[in-house]
Amino acid sequence: TQLLEQSPQFLSIQEGENLTVYCNSSSVFSSLQWYRQEPGEGPVLLVTVVTGGEVKKLKRLTFQFGDARKDSSLHITAAQPGDTGLYLCAGDQDQGGKLIFGQGTELSVKP
Amino acid sequence: DAGVIQSPRHEVTEMGQEVTLRCKPISGHDYLFWYRQTMMRGLELLIYFNNNVPIDDSGMPEDRFSAKMPNASFSTLKIQPSEPRDSAVYFCASSLTVLAYEQYFGPGTRLTVT
């Protein structure tokens, strides 16, 4: 059983389209992070959200933490081919160092 | 600044052989994490260290896996004997603080066991 469920698993869109990726759980997390991973490389941290209802923006990317701190979403506006990659959400339940990762969303943005 | 360094980047070995993966964390980081990534199971935490001491090894799959951190700048993950199902990408990450959201990942070692 996956503690963090990401959807969709795969997403193929055209340049300029908007998209949203979801990360859901029945468990509460003290913080939730989003990573982006390119082929042959390790995940790179994009953002961390720690407060229920928190919204953070990173250029065309908007991240939201659910009010109950059980879910999160990543919205990309006007996607570009450079956004292509594997997007991973990861949750920390006890601030003890253990991250639980979702299965990831494979995004492909075609020019 | 140098990031997390892992070696080798690729390893191909035969079933039954011993495999040793190496990691050099970012200087000054007190926490070191070993992860395994597969298509089926995604990214899983195997073990993590704080100040060279193993804190949680509950993710280590079985006794064939062992990890050490003899000093603050070096860690190894050893698999002995290796099996085909160990084929995966193994990542090392380091963190400055106890807060999990400060982790920086290395480029990974792609292990293939034939």
Side-chain angles (χ1 to χ4, degrees), chain B residues 49-114:
Chain B
F49 296 81
N50 176 25
N51 290 324
N52 314 336
V53 176
I55 302 301
D56 189 333
D57 65 354
S58 58
M60 295 285 263
E62 46 196 276
D63 292 345
R64 298 184 298 106
F65 285 68
S66 62
K68 294 182 180 180
M69 192 164 185
N71 57 63
S73 60
F74 184 66
S75 178
T76 60
L77 177 67
K78 183 181 292 186
I79 307 173
Q80 180 185 21
S82 59
E83 297 182 3
R85 61 191 167 122
D86 301 330
S87 298
V89 181
Y90 290 81
F91 288 101
C92 175
S94 70
S95 171
L96 179 61
T97 72
V98 68
L99 298 175
Y101 52 82
E102 298 285 346
Q103 294 184 28
Y104 296 86
F105 284 76
T109 295
R110 180 173 294 278
L111 173 65
T112 302
V113 183
T114 61

Side-chain angles (χ1 to χ4, degrees), chain A residues 33 37 40 96-98 103, chain B residues 9 33 37 40 48 56 101:
Chain A
Q33 308 167 46
Q37 184 178 16
K98 290 185 70 168
Q103 288 286 78
Chain B
R9 291 296 310 273
F33 307 82
Q37 187 175 39
M40 290 295 296
Y48 77 96
D56 189 333
Y101 52 82

Side-chain angles (χ1 to χ4, degrees), chain A residues 27-103:
Chain A
S27 301
V28 175
F29 291 93
S30 58
S31 69
L32 201 139
Q33 308 167 46
W34 285 92
Y35 289 81
R36 178 165 164 263
Q37 184 178 16
E38 296 192 38
E41 299 182 8
V44 176
L45 180 65
L46 296 173
V47 77
T48 302
V49 284
V50 296
T51 305
E54 181 176 5
V55 176
K56 282 192 174 180
K57 293 193 175 185
L58 187 66
K59 297 183 180 178
R60 294 176 292 101
L61 279 60
T62 301
F63 306 85
Q64 185 162 7
F65 202 10
D67 291 340
R69 291 187 288 130
K70 293 181 178 181
D71 55 83
S72 181
S73 64
L74 158 60
H75 182 79
I76 301 179
T77 303
Q80 299 176 1
D83 295 327
T84 293
L86 178 67
Y87 288 81
L88 296 158
C89 67
D92 167 31
Q93 290 188 294
D94 59 5
Q95 294 187 323
K98 290 185 70 168
L99 279 180
I100 299 168
F101 280 82
Q103 288 286 78

